[in-house]
Amino acid sequence: MYTLLSYVITVASAIGVGLLIRLPLLPERPMRHSWTVSALFPTPIISLGLLAIFFKLGISGFYHGLDLALFLGILSALFVKYLFDGVFPKPAMGESDE
């Protein structure tokens, strides 16, 4: 029960903090060819992955992982806003050889 609640908390905190720090809710249109980060992608995906890694390693923090979920949601939103483009650069927008 606490695990499921931790996953819900990490998604809600990642989206909430992402919106507070002015990440757009959705990427630019057309979404298939957009490399814009948003509050819905990849922010909660990163926070869910980090939380799953921590749980698998046996690190659950205090309060059955609820505090860890909140912390990782906030951390992932800040990562996406300020560091994501430096770690994962956007591909070149030139013509392809296909």
Side-chain angles (χ1 to χ4, degrees), residues 2-3 6-7 47-72:
Y2 286 113
T3 304
S6 295
Y7 284 121
S47 64
L48 285 172
L50 287 174
L51 187 63
I53 290 170
F54 275 86
F55 281 167
K56 188 64 177 177
L57 291 174
I59 302 169
S60 62
F62 306 109
Y63 307 114
H64 304 286
L66 300 177
D67 58 338
L68 182 65
L70 182 66
F71 174 72
L72 289 176

